[in-house]
Amino acid sequence: MAESCNSRGFSWLVKSCFPNPQETRRGTTLVTRVSDKSPPENRHHQTTFASLPDDLLLECLSRVSPCSLSSAFLVCRRWSQILDSSDFYDLRRSHGHVHRTLFAVAFTDFGVYGASHRIDTNMPWKTTLFPAVEVVAPETFDGSFSHSRLTAIGRRIYILGRNATIRYDAWTGTVTPRSPMIFPRKKFAAAAVAGKIYVSGGAARTSAVEEYDPESDTWRVAAEAPRRRYGCIGATVDGVFYAIGGLKIGGPHVEATRGAGAEAHVYASTMDLYDVEAKAWLRSRAVPGGGCVVAACAAGGHIFVLASHAVELSFWRYDGRRKSGGFGEWCRVKTPPLPAQVRLDSTVRFSCVGVGDKVVLVQVLGSIDDLLRRSRRTCRGWKEGLVLVYDNDKGEWNRGVDLPEVIRRAACVCVEC
């Protein structure tokens, strides 16, 4: 079946899902009603999609165009169940119809916008108005997602806010409210490990690491973090949940001493490693050279960290493959080639996303104040929404397709759709 968005070509498929009213079912065989006087050689069987066994229907639907999937879910309950099954996802992936896609969500005064882009193409970002506001109560939505984190499991994106959680289905385009975290958090670490979501940091009153089960839509405390972090970043490699960077916050053990500021700064270049299966914390080395972690992600079995040293940036790779001989080793790699107009100050933010073996570095705005400074910098030729792609195999950076104008204060994630 050709991958086309032509609705006329899809209509016959939809109609064939419904049984022919002129047919009657005898046992498991559909036989067309014909006159008793008609000769046997003129009698024939007419098969519709409704009569196909699940395995054949699954094979046919796995070839449906991506832009027709949202319509296919609405045909009937049987189709919806098949399309929502893991067998359909695995078969569609084996046919090469599932692609790693970069997805960005921006919360603005004019609404919530989503944008998707495949980095292996030169096609522009596809921007749509995000329907999140319609499913979250206004009093909950206001301020809840100002510092949200995005994480993806398969085709579903989970947007984790301070007091609310919403799930976006990249195939159907539907948004569903889910259970919020147990403890309100802000600028915390989040990542998906083995089909579950783990969050840590961003809460001054607790060091709890929470685990979310998408099947039961429930949160529980999985562990207690060794350090309370604020502004940290989450990632995962080989069954380990990483809480990276950030500053020290809260806790009765924090004293207003002369060394408190120095200790908080040390947090900015360290990582906490939680082995999900063993339910234990692992030891790790801090980022060499110190600095402050401003962006991080996992890609190709490694953790990539972008560190700031006040006037310059450094880019590091950490081997997260526990069965390799180099587990836990740091290696400095090529620094992203940022334009000269980009200054390393409070107005510049970066979002780092792993897409397969590649690292995508996206420049985003960090606050409302950044928007006010935008016009002055734009006049000096400063480019916003910059996208750079790092190829780990080649060790080179390439320029990607810039973010669309409406997407500026964005959170980014890689989703399979």
Side-chain angles (χ1 to χ4, degrees), residues 138-148 161-163 185-186:
E139 61 273 13
T140 302
F141 184 85
D142 292 342
S144 180
F145 295 98
S146 58
H147 298 283
S148 62
R162 180 178 176 84
N163 301 308
R185 300 174 187 268
K186 183 178 179 181

Side-chain angles (χ1 to χ4, degrees), residues 223-243:
E224 293 292 330
R227 288 173 283 199
R228 296 184 185 180
R229 299 172 179 268
Y230 177 81
C232 48
I233 305 168
T236 176
V237 173
D238 204 5
V240 176
F241 170 53
Y242 292 77

Side-chain angles (χ1 to χ4, degrees), residues 261-315:
E263 186 178 1
H265 180 72
V266 171
Y267 274 34
S269 61
T270 63
M271 302 188 302
D272 290 329
L273 284 64
Y274 179 66
D275 187 332
V276 171
E277 184 177 358
K279 300 180 180 180
W281 293 93
L282 308 177
R283 296 183 61 182
S284 70
R285 294 169 51 197
V287 180
C292 178
V293 175
V294 295
C297 71
H302 296 83
I303 298 293
F304 290 87
V305 169
L306 182 68
S308 173
H309 305 269
V311 295
E312 64 176 359
L313 293 173
S314 62
F315 195 53

Side-chain angles (χ1 to χ4, degrees), residues 82-214:
I82 290 177
L83 294 171
D84 202 33
S85 67
S86 58
D87 291 336
F88 175 78
Y89 191 86
D90 295 338
L91 185 59
R92 191 166 179 82
R93 175 185 284 174
S94 67
H95 290 322
H97 297 325
V98 174
H99 307 282
R100 292 187 177 95
T101 304
L102 188 63
F103 199 92
V105 176
F107 298 87
T108 72
D109 295 335
F110 306 100
V112 183
Y113 291 90
S116 59
H117 171 63
R118 285 179 54 187
I119 64 170
D120 55 349
T121 69
N122 291 323
M123 299 296 293
W125 289 73
K126 181 181 179 182
T127 306
T128 57
L129 183 62
F130 205 79
V133 183
E134 301 176 3
V135 298
V136 180
E139 61 273 13
T140 302
F141 184 85
D142 292 342
S144 180
F145 295 98
S146 58
H147 298 283
S148 62
R149 298 301 197 209
L150 268 62
T151 185
I153 300 177
R155 72 177 198 261
R156 294 186 174 96
I157 299 173
Y158 292 84
I159 305 176
L160 311 174
R162 180 178 176 84
N163 301 308
T165 300
I166 55 179
R167 184 186 69 189
Y168 175 77
D169 193 314
W171 283 1
T172 64
T174 57
V175 174
T176 308
R178 310 301 286 173
S179 298
M181 294 178 290
I182 300 174
F183 302 100
R185 300 174 187 268
K186 183 178 179 181
K187 294 187 177 181
F188 53 94
V193 186
K196 295 182 180 180
I197 297 174
Y198 291 82
V199 298
S200 178
R205 297 183 178 181
T206 180
S207 58
V209 176
E210 295 183 50
E211 175 193 87
Y212 175 72
D213 187 347

Side-chain angles (χ1 to χ4, degrees), residues 46-59:
Q46 290 184 354
T47 303
T48 66
F49 265 77
S51 65
L52 290 177
D54 286 349
D55 56 344
L56 291 181
L57 182 57
L58 179 67
E59 187 69 36

